[in-house]
């Protein structure tokens, strides 16, 4: 039986095993998918397990999306440009790092009733998933991407990967059409301590967090009459792209999947 896993730290909140194991059943694939909490010094041995084919493939989440890169033989174009890997395959003796977060975010936005081309986007946070979001937004031809992070230096690091990024001081909520919470605030029901009350109308509040399904950030957005969307669709479609890479099958996405993930 083939083994797959997601590695991260923390990893408890991950719903990847639930989704992949569901799709294994539906597609009659004899495999299991687990979550594994790793420390930095354990990455090397873990990677060796993939080389020895004890593990057939893995997903990578915070905080290893970048630190895993030196252990890999090749990167996809998207992984290279974002310096972010969330999926590893083992192809013809090579460990290959892919980035399916980009496709996940892209699909999630396209499924919304929100025309993003030419819009101004504000990203809060500068952590592991942000390069993927910026990469996807650039392909959607947004007008402007602004980024605001508590630690300004980390936002500035993003400029090494992408040009034309505007950096705002933390808490400076200037004019935007869409605001993305890409901080970890909300994972444990924390509130982002920013005042969103005088933004105008019809903004899109998007949270990368999908568990819990409605963060305080989204609650506030809704209360103020804006559109609010969590990261569940992005999560499902990044998983779908990883599944396709490993099994060469496109799994079905239906309402059962969203119910399954909501039950958590
Ligand atoms: P990593 O930074 O390891 O990639 P992440 O979960 O992807 O982890 O990112 C955490 C993000 O949430 C960061 O942007 C972090 O801001 P800092 O760079 O200043 O640490 C942000 N974050 C976490 N706690 C925060 C808080 N209390 N207030 C504001 N931002 C916070």
């Amino acid at each position: 039986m083939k083994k797959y896993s997601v590695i991260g730290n923390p990893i408890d909140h991950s719903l990847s095993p639930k989704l992949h194991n569901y799709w294994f059943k539906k597609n009659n694939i004899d495999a299991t998918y687990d979550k594994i909490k790793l420390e930095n010094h354990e990455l090397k041995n873990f990677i060796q397990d993939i080389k020895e084919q004890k593990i057939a493939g893995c997903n990578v989440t915070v905080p290893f999306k970048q630190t895993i890169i030196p252990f890999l033989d090749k990167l996809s174009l998207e992984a290279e440009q974002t310096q972010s890997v969330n999926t590893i395959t083992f192809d013809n003796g090579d460990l290959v790092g892919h980035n399916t977060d980009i496709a996940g975010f892209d699909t999630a936005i396209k499924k919304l009733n929100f025309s993003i081309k030419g819009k101004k986007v504000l990203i809060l946070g500068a952590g592991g998933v942000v390069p993927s979001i910026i990469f996807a937004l650039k392909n959607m031809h947004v007008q402007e991407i602004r980024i605001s992070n508590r630690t300004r230096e980390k936002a500035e690091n993003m400029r090494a990967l992408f040009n034309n990024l505007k950096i705002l001081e933390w808490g400076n909520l200037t004019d935007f059409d869409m605001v993305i919470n890409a901080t970890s605030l909300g994972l444990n029901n924390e509130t982002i301590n920013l005042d969103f009350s005088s933004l105008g109308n019809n903004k899109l509040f998007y949270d990368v967090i999908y568990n819990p399904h409605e963060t305080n950030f989204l609650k506030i957005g809704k209360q103020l009459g804006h559109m609010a969307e969590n990261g569940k669709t992005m999560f499902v479609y990044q998983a779908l792209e990883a599944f396709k890479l490993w099994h060469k099958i496109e799994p079905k996405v239906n309402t059962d999947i969203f119910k399954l993930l909501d039950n958590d």
Side-chain angles (χ1 to χ4, degrees), residues 163-190:
N163 47 25
N164 297 331
L165 274 188
K166 289 217 166 108
I167 299 188
L168 302 183
E169 286 306 316
W170 179 245
N172 181 359
L173 301 175
T174 51
D175 178 38
F176 59 77
D177 302 295
M178 174 184 191
V179 57
I180 301 173
N181 176 32
T183 73
S184 47
L185 290 172
L187 274 175
N188 295 307
N189 283 319
E190 310 94 319

Side-chain angles (χ1 to χ4, degrees), residues 62-64 124-130 148-152 154-155 170 181-185 187 190 192:
V62 170
F64 302 128
L124 301 174
V129 78
V130 169
S148 177
N149 193 50
R150 176 180 62 175
T151 313
R152 188 184 167 100
K154 272 171 81 181
W170 179 245
N181 176 32
T183 73
S184 47
L185 290 172
L187 274 175
E190 310 94 319
I192 303 185

Side-chain angles (χ1 to χ4, degrees), residues 93-155:
D94 282 331
L95 285 164
V96 187
H98 305 263
N99 180 329
T100 71
D101 287 329
I102 298 169
F105 182 76
D106 185 69
T107 305
I109 299 303
K110 287 186 176 142
K111 287 188 178 289
L112 288 176
N113 182 20
F114 183 80
S115 159
I116 193 161
K117 194 175 166 195
K119 297 283 167 60
K120 293 180 197 153
V121 182
L122 171 64
I123 301 171
L124 301 174
V129 78
V130 169
S132 309
I133 290 177
I134 296 173
F135 187 100
L137 287 170
K138 283 188 166 263
N139 282 342
M140 293 172 200
H141 303 290
V142 298
Q143 187 194 116
E144 192 171 89
I145 304 171
R146 296 170 181 170
I147 176 166
S148 177
N149 193 50
R150 176 180 62 175
T151 313
R152 188 184 167 100
E153 190 193 347
K154 272 171 81 181

